[in-house]
Amino acid sequence: MQCPYCQYTDSRVLESRSTEAGQSIRRRRECLQCRHRFTTYERLEFVPVTVIKQDSRREYFDRSKLLRGIIHACQKTGLTPDTLESIVDEIESQLQTRSLREITTAEIGELVLRELRPLSEVAYIRFASVYRQFQGIRDFVDTLHQLNEVRSQESEVANLAETAEAPRSIRLG
């Protein structure tokens, strides 16, 4: 493994651990020449998924590009880097289990929004504004109304579930 600092090709492994639900191995390494420490990841090589862009161009799915977009939308929202990594892991896993090897950017955007909605409304709106290419305040307001409707529906479902599970008093006599 080549050192990212001095490009020396020999290093020693200090620590290895499984990450991403066993989908990769994280290794902490130390360069034998300059003694800098760095981290590498070993991942299973998946069958490539092709992303169809809005202008009909095709490119391979790029995990790091998706992660950068999510990180940008989630700045200062309190979501941890581990949470953001797990979102990308979940989406990548969903893409790998699909029978189709092509997906549109719109479908990927919807997958991200589905993951962000329960975690952070601010991150959801930020990501939606870029991914859906909001043109003005009306787009923000419409999305906020949709988000509010979904939250109201979820609240009603939770209330119904609580009511159904509540013990009923039985009158004798």
Side-chain angles (χ1 to χ4, degrees):
M1 182 58 60
Q2 189 174 28
C3 173
Y5 302 99
C6 72
Q7 280 63 50
Y8 189 66
T9 57
D10 206 2
S11 63
R12 69 183 181 122
V13 175
L14 302 173
E15 173 191 7
S16 291
R17 81 170 89 147
S18 180
T19 60
E20 301 171 12
Q23 296 296 311
S24 71
I25 298 174
R26 176 185 182 269
R27 297 196 196 280
R28 192 72 182 135
R29 298 176 178 269
E30 181 179 50
C31 176
L32 294 178
Q33 181 170 309
C34 71
R35 299 286 183 229
H36 271 92
R37 293 182 177 192
F38 57 99
T39 303
T40 61
Y41 291 89
E42 289 181 24
R43 280 195 168 75
L44 287 172
E45 189 170 23
F46 292 117
V47 176
V49 173
T50 302
V51 178
I52 304 169
K53 309 293 269 182
Q54 287 182 336
D55 63 2
S56 299
R57 285 183 302 120
R58 285 172 161 66
E59 63 182 49
Y60 288 126
F61 173 76
D62 183 349
R63 170 190 176 80
S64 61
K65 192 173 181 180
L66 178 61
L67 181 59
R68 278 192 309 272
I70 293 172
I71 287 170
H72 188 69
C74 295
Q75 288 178 337
K76 298 182 183 179
T77 62
L79 294 176
T80 66
D82 287 343
T83 301
L84 304 183
E85 280 278 350
S86 67
I87 290 171
V88 175
D89 292 343
E90 176 60 28
I91 291 170
E92 188 173 31
S93 176
Q94 289 177 33
L95 295 180
Q96 286 299 319
T97 58
R98 290 170 41 114
S99 58
L100 296 174
R101 305 314 306 156
E102 290 188 335
I103 187 166
T104 64
T105 54
E107 291 172 296
I108 292 174
E110 289 301 325
L111 291 173
V112 172
L113 290 175
R114 190 177 314 140
E115 296 292 325
L116 286 178
R117 187 175 49 79
L119 301 176
S120 169
E121 292 174 345
V122 172
Y124 177 93
I125 294 296
R126 283 183 183 165
F127 190 86
S129 71
V130 173
Y131 144 69
R132 291 182 178 158
Q133 298 178 348
F134 287 7
Q135 298 298 312
I137 193 78
R138 187 86 217 132
D139 295 328
F140 281 96
V141 171
D142 291 344
T143 302
L144 288 170
H145 284 303
Q146 291 171 357
L147 191 59
N148 207 17
E149 286 176 21
V150 168
R151 194 169 355 119
S152 295
Q153 290 171 355
E154 288 173 348
S155 179
E156 287 177 24
V157 169
N159 288 338
L160 287 173
E162 277 182 24
T163 304
E165 292 176 7
R168 300 182 197 276
S169 60
I170 300 174
R171 287 181 41 160
L172 298 174

